[in-house]
Amino acid sequence: MKKLMTLFALSLLAFVLVACGGGDSNETEQNGENESASESEGGEKVIRAGIGLNQNHPQYKGLLKFKEIVEEETGGEITVETYHSGQLGDDRTMTEALQLGTQEVTIPSTAPIANFVPEFSVFDIPFLLPSEEVADEVLAGDVAQDLLAKLEEKDLVGLSYWENGFRDLTNSERPVETLEDFDGLKIRTMENDLHLEAFKALGANPTPMAFTELFTAMQQGTVDGQENPYATIYLENFYEVQDYVSDTHHVYSPFVFLMSKQFYDGLTEEQQEIVRSAAEEAGEHQIKLNREANAEYLQNLQDEGMEFSEISDEERQKMVDTVQPVIEDFKDDIGPEVVDGIMEAVENAQGE
Ligand code: KDG
């Protein structure tokens, strides 16, 4: 009961914030008023879309592309309000808002989604996806697509996979070049039990934390480090509070473009097709931007003074071997058929 009251209070707060605060400069205004509900007085439908990353990240640029396509294709029947930097909450609270119908879109990493649909933790298996090409193939495959369908049981619609990218370690204590270097490091992880246990196995002292709290935690020394793709590390200015970056590439994180099922079911068939194809087209755009950017961001981080450490194949193999027992421990939680299915999809993609 207490959780439900907390959830209601949080959603009410988000609702009030949206009503009063309004979104980014790209927010759509109707009749000079900021929309604060999923339907305006004129019957137009409003999508309140929030993400945790800031307006400079390719994820937000992809969201603006989604807005452009939907508003054009529907002739204004649907307008999209865009919110970044956790303005509407963190991944968990925004996903809960979609379930409640007080928000319509969010695009979290798959890791926090596992708190709603445990099978999504399959993408948190360390070193599962070896390259972007294999990731593209696997995410387009039946097992990954079937996972999107499972979201409907939780009042969510997964419209497409976008890309967060390969996650790399940063910290403020020391260069990390070997498995031993993880020892005792206070590392923030996403709120996902597999991530937590994997970093414990590597010898670190992990703390699960919402993305919206991460910068302050690093600034205050609550945590020594974190792990995210280079694009996030650079565009969120983590170099201001982190000294060392290592190319651990330990997990490839997809994003999932989530829509409230309540809202989606209220659309016409034509509108449903428009939002679905817009999420896919905007996703292709976002992934292209993400890959172009990630290539240059590592150099930018070094230009900002971060010390870069390469992980040798030998040391990476030690990390792979070290986390294997954790993967076995989580296989039942994720679902053996999902784990085996994804592993087979990876092998098939590599074999081509
Ligand atoms: O907008 C997405 C972010 O909120 C988050 O999912 C990014 O990978 C992320 C993290 O480390 O929390």
Side-chain angles (χ1 to χ4, degrees), residues 159-177:
L159 291 179
S160 70
Y161 286 103
W162 287 19
E163 178 175 273
N164 194 349
F166 281 101
R167 305 182 74 90
D168 294 295
L169 182 76
T170 67
N171 82 92
S172 57
E173 289 299 305
R174 56 179 175 263
V176 172
E177 297 171 339

PDB file of all heavy atoms in Angstrom, residues 159-177:
ATOM      1  N   LEU A 159       8.347  -0.133 -28.995  1.00  0.00           N
ATOM      2  CA  LEU A 159       8.194   0.141 -30.429  1.00  0.00           C
ATOM      3  C   LEU A 159       9.453  -0.152 -31.227  1.00  0.00           C
ATOM      4  O   LEU A 159       9.394  -0.510 -32.395  1.00  0.00           O
ATOM      5  CB  LEU A 159       7.761   1.607 -30.652  1.00  0.00           C
ATOM      6  CG  LEU A 159       6.341   1.947 -30.181  1.00  0.00           C
ATOM      7  CD1 LEU A 159       6.043   3.422 -30.439  1.00  0.00           C
ATOM      8  CD2 LEU A 159       5.313   1.068 -30.885  1.00  0.00           C
ATOM      9  N   SER A 160      10.630   0.019 -30.612  1.00  0.00           N
ATOM     10  CA  SER A 160      11.861  -0.333 -31.345  1.00  0.00           C
ATOM     11  C   SER A 160      13.063  -0.266 -30.411  1.00  0.00           C
ATOM     12  O   SER A 160      12.990   0.340 -29.334  1.00  0.00           O
ATOM     13  CB  SER A 160      12.088   0.617 -32.528  1.00  0.00           C
ATOM     14  OG  SER A 160      12.433   1.907 -32.058  1.00  0.00           O
ATOM     15  N   TYR A 161      14.165  -0.902 -30.873  1.00  0.00           N
ATOM     16  CA  TYR A 161      15.434  -0.805 -30.143  1.00  0.00           C
ATOM     17  C   TYR A 161      16.239   0.375 -30.696  1.00  0.00           C
ATOM     18  O   TYR A 161      16.338   0.535 -31.914  1.00  0.00           O
ATOM     19  CB  TYR A 161      16.253  -2.082 -30.346  1.00  0.00           C
ATOM     20  CG  TYR A 161      15.733  -3.281 -29.585  1.00  0.00           C
ATOM     21  CD1 TYR A 161      15.009  -4.287 -30.237  1.00  0.00           C
ATOM     22  CD2 TYR A 161      15.965  -3.412 -28.217  1.00  0.00           C
ATOM     23  CE1 TYR A 161      14.526  -5.390 -29.542  1.00  0.00           C
ATOM     24  CE2 TYR A 161      15.489  -4.521 -27.516  1.00  0.00           C
ATOM     25  CZ  TYR A 161      14.777  -5.506 -28.182  1.00  0.00           C
ATOM     26  OH  TYR A 161      14.294  -6.600 -27.491  1.00  0.00           O
ATOM     27  N   TRP A 162      16.748   1.202 -29.831  1.00  0.00           N
ATOM     28  CA  TRP A 162      17.708   2.222 -30.202  1.00  0.00           C
ATOM     29  C   TRP A 162      19.061   1.810 -29.622  1.00  0.00           C
ATOM     30  O   TRP A 162      19.194   0.701 -29.162  1.00  0.00           O
ATOM     31  CB  TRP A 162      17.260   3.596 -29.669  1.00  0.00           C
ATOM     32  CG  TRP A 162      16.085   4.195 -30.401  1.00  0.00           C
ATOM     33  CD1 TRP A 162      15.190   3.536 -31.193  1.00  0.00           C
ATOM     34  CD2 TRP A 162      15.682   5.567 -30.411  1.00  0.00           C
ATOM     35  NE1 TRP A 162      14.237   4.413 -31.668  1.00  0.00           N
ATOM     36  CE2 TRP A 162      14.508   5.673 -31.223  1.00  0.00           C
ATOM     37  CE3 TRP A 162      16.191   6.731 -29.813  1.00  0.00           C
ATOM     38  CZ2 TRP A 162      13.863   6.890 -31.432  1.00  0.00           C
ATOM     39  CZ3 TRP A 162      15.533   7.939 -30.033  1.00  0.00           C
ATOM     40  CH2 TRP A 162      14.378   8.001 -30.838  1.00  0.00           C
ATOM     41  N   GLU A 163      20.047   2.691 -29.630  1.00  0.00           N
ATOM     42  CA  GLU A 163      21.383   2.283 -29.184  1.00  0.00           C
ATOM     43  C   GLU A 163      21.957   3.208 -28.124  1.00  0.00           C
ATOM     44  O   GLU A 163      22.109   4.406 -28.331  1.00  0.00           O
ATOM     45  CB  GLU A 163      22.369   2.260 -30.348  1.00  0.00           C
ATOM     46  CG  GLU A 163      23.791   1.893 -29.904  1.00  0.00           C
ATOM     47  CD  GLU A 163      24.738   1.758 -31.054  1.00  0.00           C
ATOM     48  OE1 GLU A 163      24.808   0.644 -31.626  1.00  0.00           O
ATOM     49  OE2 GLU A 163      25.398   2.760 -31.427  1.00  0.00           O
ATOM     50  N   ASN A 164      22.292   2.601 -26.980  1.00  0.00           N
ATOM     51  CA  ASN A 164      23.103   3.313 -25.986  1.00  0.00           C
ATOM     52  C   ASN A 164      24.565   3.072 -26.354  1.00  0.00           C
ATOM     53  O   ASN A 164      25.330   3.987 -26.578  1.00  0.00           O
ATOM     54  CB  ASN A 164      22.772   2.763 -24.591  1.00  0.00           C
ATOM     55  CG  ASN A 164      23.288   3.657 -23.476  1.00  0.00           C
ATOM     56  OD1 ASN A 164      24.056   4.575 -23.718  1.00  0.00           O
ATOM     57  ND2 ASN A 164      22.883   3.377 -22.263  1.00  0.00           N
ATOM     58  N   GLY A 165      24.940   1.758 -26.445  1.00  0.00           N
ATOM     59  CA  GLY A 165      26.268   1.448 -26.972  1.00  0.00           C
ATOM     60  C   GLY A 165      27.106   0.630 -26.006  1.00  0.00           C
ATOM     61  O   GLY A 165      26.633   0.174 -24.972  1.00  0.00           O
ATOM     62  N   PHE A 166      28.370   0.431 -26.390  1.00  0.00           N
ATOM     63  CA  PHE A 166      29.281  -0.357 -25.553  1.00  0.00           C
ATOM     64  C   PHE A 166      29.676   0.463 -24.327  1.00  0.00           C
ATOM     65  O   PHE A 166      30.100   1.604 -24.438  1.00  0.00           O
ATOM     66  CB  PHE A 166      30.523  -0.755 -26.356  1.00  0.00           C
ATOM     67  CG  PHE A 166      30.280  -1.912 -27.271  1.00  0.00           C
ATOM     68  CD1 PHE A 166      30.072  -1.717 -28.629  1.00  0.00           C
ATOM     69  CD2 PHE A 166      30.224  -3.208 -26.771  1.00  0.00           C
ATOM     70  CE1 PHE A 166      29.815  -2.786 -29.471  1.00  0.00           C
ATOM     71  CE2 PHE A 166      29.978  -4.286 -27.606  1.00  0.00           C
ATOM     72  CZ  PHE A 166      29.764  -4.076 -28.959  1.00  0.00           C
ATOM     73  N   ARG A 167      29.530  -0.163 -23.181  1.00  0.00           N
ATOM     74  CA  ARG A 167      29.768   0.516 -21.916  1.00  0.00           C
ATOM     75  C   ARG A 167      31.238   0.381 -21.506  1.00  0.00           C
ATOM     76  O   ARG A 167      31.825  -0.701 -21.608  1.00  0.00           O
ATOM     77  CB  ARG A 167      28.836  -0.040 -20.831  1.00  0.00           C
ATOM     78  CG  ARG A 167      27.380   0.024 -21.234  1.00  0.00           C
ATOM     79  CD  ARG A 167      26.474  -0.482 -20.152  1.00  0.00           C
ATOM     80  NE  ARG A 167      26.363   0.461 -19.057  1.00  0.00           N
ATOM     81  CZ  ARG A 167      25.443   1.424 -18.987  1.00  0.00           C
ATOM     82  NH1 ARG A 167      24.569   1.567 -19.979  1.00  0.00           N
ATOM     83  NH2 ARG A 167      25.370   2.246 -17.949  1.00  0.00           N
ATOM     84  N   ASP A 168      31.823   1.494 -21.084  1.00  0.00           N
ATOM     85  CA  ASP A 168      33.221   1.513 -20.667  1.00  0.00           C
ATOM     86  C   ASP A 168      33.344   2.135 -19.288  1.00  0.00           C
ATOM     87  O   ASP A 168      32.562   2.977 -18.885  1.00  0.00           O
ATOM     88  CB  ASP A 168      34.050   2.302 -21.697  1.00  0.00           C
ATOM     89  CG  ASP A 168      34.068   1.582 -23.038  1.00  0.00           C
ATOM     90  OD1 ASP A 168      34.630   0.464 -23.101  1.00  0.00           O
ATOM     91  OD2 ASP A 168      33.479   2.107 -23.998  1.00  0.00           O
ATOM     92  N   LEU A 169      34.382   1.701 -18.567  1.00  0.00           N
ATOM     93  CA  LEU A 169      34.546   2.080 -17.160  1.00  0.00           C
ATOM     94  C   LEU A 169      35.307   3.391 -17.010  1.00  0.00           C
ATOM     95  O   LEU A 169      36.302   3.626 -17.702  1.00  0.00           O
ATOM     96  CB  LEU A 169      35.327   0.985 -16.422  1.00  0.00           C
ATOM     97  CG  LEU A 169      35.542   1.206 -14.926  1.00  0.00           C
ATOM     98  CD1 LEU A 169      34.257   0.920 -14.146  1.00  0.00           C
ATOM     99  CD2 LEU A 169      36.685   0.308 -14.422  1.00  0.00           C
ATOM    100  N   THR A 170      34.846   4.262 -16.125  1.00  0.00           N
ATOM    101  CA  THR A 170      35.638   5.428 -15.711  1.00  0.00           C
ATOM    102  C   THR A 170      35.732   5.401 -14.189  1.00  0.00           C
ATOM    103  O   THR A 170      34.901   4.790 -13.513  1.00  0.00           O
ATOM    104  CB  THR A 170      34.966   6.765 -16.116  1.00  0.00           C
ATOM    105  OG1 THR A 170      33.754   6.940 -15.365  1.00  0.00           O
ATOM    106  CG2 THR A 170      34.673   6.815 -17.613  1.00  0.00           C
ATOM    107  N   ASN A 171      36.792   6.065 -13.679  1.00  0.00           N
ATOM    108  CA  ASN A 171      36.876   6.227 -12.218  1.00  0.00           C
ATOM    109  C   ASN A 171      37.822   7.360 -11.884  1.00  0.00           C
ATOM    110  O   ASN A 171      38.523   7.893 -12.759  1.00  0.00           O
ATOM    111  CB  ASN A 171      37.303   4.901 -11.554  1.00  0.00           C
ATOM    112  CG  ASN A 171      38.808   4.658 -11.591  1.00  0.00           C
ATOM    113  OD1 ASN A 171      39.521   5.015 -10.661  1.00  0.00           O
ATOM    114  ND2 ASN A 171      39.307   4.093 -12.676  1.00  0.00           N
ATOM    115  N   SER A 172      37.841   7.719 -10.598  1.00  0.00           N
ATOM    116  CA  SER A 172      38.675   8.864 -10.171  1.00  0.00           C
ATOM    117  C   SER A 172      39.848   8.411  -9.306  1.00  0.00           C
ATOM    118  O   SER A 172      40.549   9.241  -8.721  1.00  0.00           O
ATOM    119  CB  SER A 172      37.796   9.851  -9.375  1.00  0.00           C
ATOM    120  OG  SER A 172      37.206   9.161  -8.274  1.00  0.00           O
ATOM    121  N   GLU A 173      40.027   7.076  -9.190  1.00  0.00           N
ATOM    122  CA  GLU A 173      41.068   6.569  -8.284  1.00  0.00           C
ATOM    123  C   GLU A 173      42.363   6.179  -8.993  1.00  0.00           C
ATOM    124  O   GLU A 173      43.450   6.534  -8.562  1.00  0.00           O
ATOM    125  CB  GLU A 173      40.525   5.337  -7.538  1.00  0.00           C
ATOM    126  CG  GLU A 173      39.458   5.669  -6.510  1.00  0.00           C
ATOM    127  CD  GLU A 173      39.993   6.598  -5.428  1.00  0.00           C
ATOM    128  OE1 GLU A 173      41.022   6.263  -4.795  1.00  0.00           O
ATOM    129  OE2 GLU A 173      39.386   7.682  -5.241  1.00  0.00           O
ATOM    130  N   ARG A 174      42.247   5.331 -10.043  1.00  0.00           N
ATOM    131  CA  ARG A 174      43.465   4.782 -10.647  1.00  0.00           C
ATOM    132  C   ARG A 174      43.172   4.260 -12.063  1.00  0.00           C
ATOM    133  O   ARG A 174      42.017   3.957 -12.366  1.00  0.00           O
ATOM    134  CB  ARG A 174      44.015   3.626  -9.808  1.00  0.00           C
ATOM    135  CG  ARG A 174      43.010   2.513  -9.568  1.00  0.00           C
ATOM    136  CD  ARG A 174      43.591   1.365  -8.760  1.00  0.00           C
ATOM    137  NE  ARG A 174      42.570   0.358  -8.453  1.00  0.00           N
ATOM    138  CZ  ARG A 174      41.904   0.307  -7.295  1.00  0.00           C
ATOM    139  NH1 ARG A 174      42.110   1.196  -6.355  1.00  0.00           N
ATOM    140  NH2 ARG A 174      40.992  -0.642  -7.082  1.00  0.00           N
ATOM    141  N   PRO A 175      44.226   4.092 -12.891  1.00  0.00           N
ATOM    142  CA  PRO A 175      44.019   3.440 -14.187  1.00  0.00           C
ATOM    143  C   PRO A 175      43.541   2.003 -13.967  1.00  0.00           C
ATOM    144  O   PRO A 175      44.028   1.337 -13.046  1.00  0.00           O
ATOM    145  CB  PRO A 175      45.411   3.450 -14.823  1.00  0.00           C
ATOM    146  CG  PRO A 175      46.183   4.490 -14.077  1.00  0.00           C
ATOM    147  CD  PRO A 175      45.631   4.497 -12.683  1.00  0.00           C
ATOM    148  N   VAL A 176      42.589   1.553 -14.763  1.00  0.00           N
ATOM    149  CA  VAL A 176      42.137   0.154 -14.693  1.00  0.00           C
ATOM    150  C   VAL A 176      42.580  -0.536 -15.966  1.00  0.00           C
ATOM    151  O   VAL A 176      42.062  -0.239 -17.048  1.00  0.00           O
ATOM    152  CB  VAL A 176      40.613   0.063 -14.502  1.00  0.00           C
ATOM    153  CG1 VAL A 176      40.128  -1.387 -14.627  1.00  0.00           C
ATOM    154  CG2 VAL A 176      40.215   0.637 -13.141  1.00  0.00           C
ATOM    155  N   GLU A 177      43.600  -1.412 -15.827  1.00  0.00           N
ATOM    156  CA  GLU A 177      44.143  -2.122 -17.002  1.00  0.00           C
ATOM    157  C   GLU A 177      44.048  -3.637 -16.828  1.00  0.00           C
ATOM    158  O   GLU A 177      44.146  -4.390 -17.786  1.00  0.00           O
ATOM    159  CB  GLU A 177      45.611  -1.710 -17.217  1.00  0.00           C
ATOM    160  CG  GLU A 177      45.776  -0.232 -17.527  1.00  0.00           C
ATOM    161  CD  GLU A 177      47.235   0.201 -17.511  1.00  0.00           C
ATOM    162  OE1 GLU A 177      48.064  -0.512 -16.882  1.00  0.00           O
ATOM    163  OE2 GLU A 177      47.539   1.243 -18.134  1.00  0.00           O
TER     164      GLU A 177
END
